[in-house]
């Protein structure tokens, strides 16, 4: 089955700096790659997603890049703020037209310090 | 994602008891999912359902059972056969969409076995 690896497991940045989280996937048939943010004790919430026919997607301070050849995708957060502190999960899915059975990475705990 | 609810928020169980976690959604989503989250780990898929009266095992289905009698509801039963049931359980739902659809998560149920 699909395997998603995520790095780093923890990341500390100063407010205003950029943060980058990287994920690799094993199944070349995967075609949907969402990123979720989970604050302590809360539900995961989708922050951005990308499909395999697109190489990059941006939404304000957040961007995701996808390299299908290398089978990796990355989350970029610019101008980080304290409210960006949370656990971020990447995921991959490969079932077009059916339920999006997601395989998650193990998460990155991002700490934005003042 | 305010349209998907889980109850109870906290649940305590004695060893050997079965317990049922509730998940309801009013988003008119066809697909529903159950995930388990352990500290320091990503979300792992337990069961998912694409249509009423049909469901499939995920990666860690042993010791769990589900039903899908109504489109809006997807309860999860944690049976006494589940060896290590203490975890945070998350329900999610999505539309069925080519290439995968965004999953919306419920607030979760924290199950503790005493």
């Amino acid at each position: 089955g699909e395997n998603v690896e995520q790095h780093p497991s923890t990341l500390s940045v100063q407010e205003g700096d950029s943060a980058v989280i990287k994920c690799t996937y094993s199944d070349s048939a995967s075609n949907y790659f969402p990123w979720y943010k989970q604050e302590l004790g809360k539900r995961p919430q989708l922050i951005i997603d990308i499909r395999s026919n697109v190489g990059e997607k941006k939404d304000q301070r957040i961007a995701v890049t996808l390299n299908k050849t290398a089978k990796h995708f990355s989350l970029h957060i610019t101008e980080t703020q304290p409210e960006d502190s949370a656990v971020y999960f990447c995921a991959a899915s490969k079932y077009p037209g059916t339920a999006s059975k997601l395989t998650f990475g193990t998460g990155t705990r991002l700490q934005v310090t003042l | 994602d305010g349209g998907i609810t889980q109850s109870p928020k906290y649940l305590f169980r004695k060893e050997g008891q079965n317990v049922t976690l509730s998940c309801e959604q009013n988003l008119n989503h066809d697909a529903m999912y159950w995930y388990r989250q352990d500290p320091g780990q990503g979300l792992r898929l337990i069961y998912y359902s694409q249509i009423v009266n049909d469901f499939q095992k995920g990666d860690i289905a042993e010791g769990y059972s589900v039903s899908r009698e109504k489109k809006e509801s997807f309860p999860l039963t944690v049976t006494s056969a589940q060896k290590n049931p203490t975890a945070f359980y998350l329900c999610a739902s999505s539309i069925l969409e080519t290439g995968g659809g965004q999953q919306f998560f419920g607030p979760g149920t924290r199950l503790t076995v005493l």
Side-chain angles (χ1 to χ4, degrees):
Chain A
E2 174 68 279
N3 181 51
V4 177
E5 294 189 357
Q6 183 172 348
H7 299 281
S9 57
T10 60
L11 180 60
S12 182
V13 300
Q14 285 196 325
E15 183 179 6
D17 288 349
S18 296
V20 180
I21 302 170
K22 299 181 179 181
C23 289
T24 60
Y25 60 98
S26 60
D27 193 331
S28 57
S30 289
N31 54 26
Y32 174 64
F33 307 92
W35 285 88
Y36 284 85
K37 175 183 180 181
Q38 186 178 30
E39 297 178 7
L40 189 62
K42 301 289 183 64
R43 72 188 79 190
Q45 295 195 312
L46 182 76
I47 54 171
I48 195 167
D49 57 9
I50 191 168
R51 299 180 190 270
S52 60
N53 58 346
V54 176
E56 183 175 0
K57 184 177 179 180
K58 290 186 69 174
D59 183 3
Q60 298 183 327
R61 297 186 296 109
I62 294 173
V64 58
T65 58
L66 171 65
N67 183 325
K68 289 173 55 181
T69 302
K71 291 189 286 187
H72 67 70
F73 56 111
S74 300
L75 177 71
H76 304 254
I77 305 174
T78 59
E79 300 173 17
T80 53
Q81 301 168 3
E83 51 265 38
D84 294 329
S85 296
V87 179
Y88 292 81
F89 293 97
C90 62
S93 171
K94 64 164 186 174
Y95 293 103
T98 64
S100 54
K101 183 173 176 287
L102 293 172
T103 300
F104 283 83
T106 52
T108 296
R109 182 173 301 277
L110 174 64
Q111 181 70 43
V112 179
T113 58
L114 297 174
Chain B
D1 54 49
I4 181 165
T5 59
Q6 292 183 240
S7 62
K9 186 174 182 179
Y10 298 98
L11 186 57
F12 298 91
R13 189 194 94 174
K14 294 182 179 179
E15 285 191 21
Q17 289 182 335
N18 293 354
V19 289
T20 297
L21 283 57
S22 170
C23 178
E24 303 277 334
Q25 53 97 3
N26 62 4
L27 301 170
N28 199 33
H29 286 171
D30 291 298
M32 297 187 74
Y33 315 79
W34 274 105
Y35 292 92
R36 170 182 172 139
Q37 186 174 29
D38 295 285
Q41 297 192 32
L43 283 67
R44 292 183 289 167
L45 183 65
I46 304 172
Y47 270 98
Y48 65 104
S49 168
Q50 300 180 63
I51 194 170
V52 172
N53 294 322
D54 187 52
F55 45 83
Q56 286 77 40
K57 292 182 179 180
D59 300 318
I60 57 166
E62 186 175 352
Y64 300 97
S65 66
V66 293
S67 63
R68 187 86 186 276
E69 297 178 0
K70 298 187 300 181
K71 185 176 183 178
E72 302 79 17
S73 178
F74 191 41
L76 172 75
T77 297
V78 184
T79 75
S80 57
Q82 169 50 233
K83 300 303 180 187
N84 185 22
T86 295
F88 188 49
Y89 291 87
L90 287 158
C91 179
S93 69
S94 73
I95 61 172
L96 293 178
E97 178 180 336
T98 299
Q102 176 185 347
Q103 292 190 17
F104 294 84
F105 284 86
T109 292
R110 191 167 298 279
L111 173 64
T112 302
V113 174
L114 304 172

